[in-house]
Amino acid sequence: MDVERQMQNQESQNHSKTGKPQLVVISAPSGAGKTTICKILAERNPDFRISISATTRPPRKTETDGVDYFFISEEEFLKRVEAGEFLEYENVHGHYYGTLRKNVESLLKQGFTVLFDIDVNGAIKIKKQFPEAILIFIRPPSLEELKKRLRERQTEDPQEIERRLQRLPEEYAKAVLFDYDIVNDDLMATVAQIEDIIRTHQRKEQDHVSN
Ligand code: ADP
Ligand code: 5GP
């Protein structure tokens, strides 16, 4: 199925909306837990949708095209860059990843809160375009725990894990630009904390409109 058809599938599912749609960007070092957190947030909150990125990275065994990512060739990715289809894109760990403008605009228009699981540089680019976006940086409880999560995920070999860990200093340095900085120790406590942040922003905007 092509990217456009898959985007329509994501949009047409039923939902109910409970507040002003927000843009919520969740960034973290690889293995800290952001993908797991975003999936649980979207499962528990019918008014939340994850922005599905396009990537040139090959799919992992557990991943589905059009659900986890739109897996496309480098040629197609660069064509879409030329056509201005990305809100932002980055080369992360040696592969291209990008947020599709049309996808995000359509979800917002339908009233969904959009969750972005993207890298720190992508997060900063989103904030420049949407100053109201909520930027949340997720940390692992320790470096040892991060390594353990990466090993136990069993999706990258030791060399690729090392490559991902080399990006840590750049990622931690940019955490200061985020609105929130959270340690993902207990998974469900982290999810609840993020839900609380989003609902608080929604309430504040609601109060602002009614005053
Ligand atoms: P990321 O998307 O940040 O690279 P993942 O969501 O893939 O990270 O999580 C990496 C691994 O850590 C996964 O196997 C996930 O199940 C696990 N994990 C995520 N959060 C926690 C947590 N709070 N405690 C223990 N394991 C976790
Ligand atoms: P992974 O290969 O582990 O799925 O993702 C690698 C990194 O790329 C993660 O930090 C992830 O958040 C980031 N990423 C995924 N999609 C995008 C995107 O559309 N834009 C940017 N800038 N980063 C992305």
Side-chain angles (χ1 to χ4, degrees):
M1 216 193 295
D2 64 20
V3 172
E4 278 67 27
R5 178 88 59 81
Q6 286 169 329
M7 281 199 259
Q8 281 166 11
N9 277 355
Q10 187 196 20
E11 290 157 10
S12 62
Q13 290 155 20
N14 287 334
H15 64 281
S16 63
K17 296 155 221 154
T18 55
K20 187 171 183 300
Q22 306 286 319
L23 294 106
V24 184
V25 186
I26 301 187
S27 299
S30 184
K34 62 194 168 303
T35 308
T36 309
I37 291 166
C38 285
K39 283 190 175 165
I40 299 173
L41 284 168
E43 275 165 22
R44 280 166 44 121
N45 298 275
D47 57 323
F48 293 1
R49 282 278 188 283
I50 298 171
S51 158
I52 303 173
S53 297
T55 184
T56 60
R57 166 170 78 60
R60 295 172 182 148
K61 281 196 206 101
T62 53
E63 291 176 327
T64 308
D65 188 28
V67 174
D68 299 287
Y69 281 107
F70 299 113
F71 294 100
I72 60 177
S73 67
E74 191 161 317
E75 190 191 356
E76 183 179 349
F77 194 100
L78 294 174
K79 244 190 236 162
R80 289 180 184 271
V81 170
E82 275 299 298
E85 290 185 27
F86 292 108
L87 268 180
E88 63 75 37
Y89 72 96
E90 280 292 317
N91 193 313
V92 191
H93 313 306
H95 299 287
Y96 286 112
Y97 296 81
T99 305
L100 289 155
R101 185 186 303 277
K102 219 163 114 183
N103 198 7
V104 174
E105 283 172 354
S106 168
L107 291 172
L108 286 174
K109 211 161 73 188
Q110 294 173 83
F112 289 114
T113 280
V114 184
L115 309 173
F116 300 81
D117 165 354
I118 64 176
D119 92 305
V120 285
N121 296 321
I124 293 159
K125 286 185 189 165
I126 293 283
K127 187 80 171 179
K128 281 198 182 126
Q129 296 174 69
F130 301 94
E132 73 280 16
I134 308 167
L135 264 52
I136 303 177
F137 188 79
I138 306 283
R139 289 172 190 268
S142 66
L143 181 58
E144 277 322 300
E145 174 65 16
L146 181 69
K147 288 181 180 169
K148 181 168 172 276
R149 287 182 191 174
L150 279 169
R151 266 196 319 271
E152 290 180 357
R153 188 169 70 182
Q154 296 186 332
T155 48
E156 280 81 26
D157 61 30
Q159 202 183 344
E160 177 58 26
I161 289 180
E162 198 43 50
R163 179 176 175 161
R164 286 174 176 246
L165 291 172
Q166 277 169 13
R167 209 164 180 261
L168 278 176
E170 179 188 351
E171 292 170 327
Y172 284 140
K174 290 182 176 155
V176 291
L177 300 170
F178 281 61
D179 301 304
Y180 299 90
D181 192 333
I182 293 177
V183 178
N184 174 27
D185 190 353
D186 178 283
L187 178 60
M188 293 318 291
T190 306
V191 168
Q193 202 177 342
I194 295 174
E195 283 174 344
D196 201 37
I197 290 169
I198 298 171
R199 298 300 177 204
T200 302
H201 275 258
Q202 286 180 326
R203 267 197 305 277
K204 269 192 200 148
E205 288 188 25
Q206 198 61 45
D207 292 348
H208 187 70
V209 170
S210 28
N211 285 333

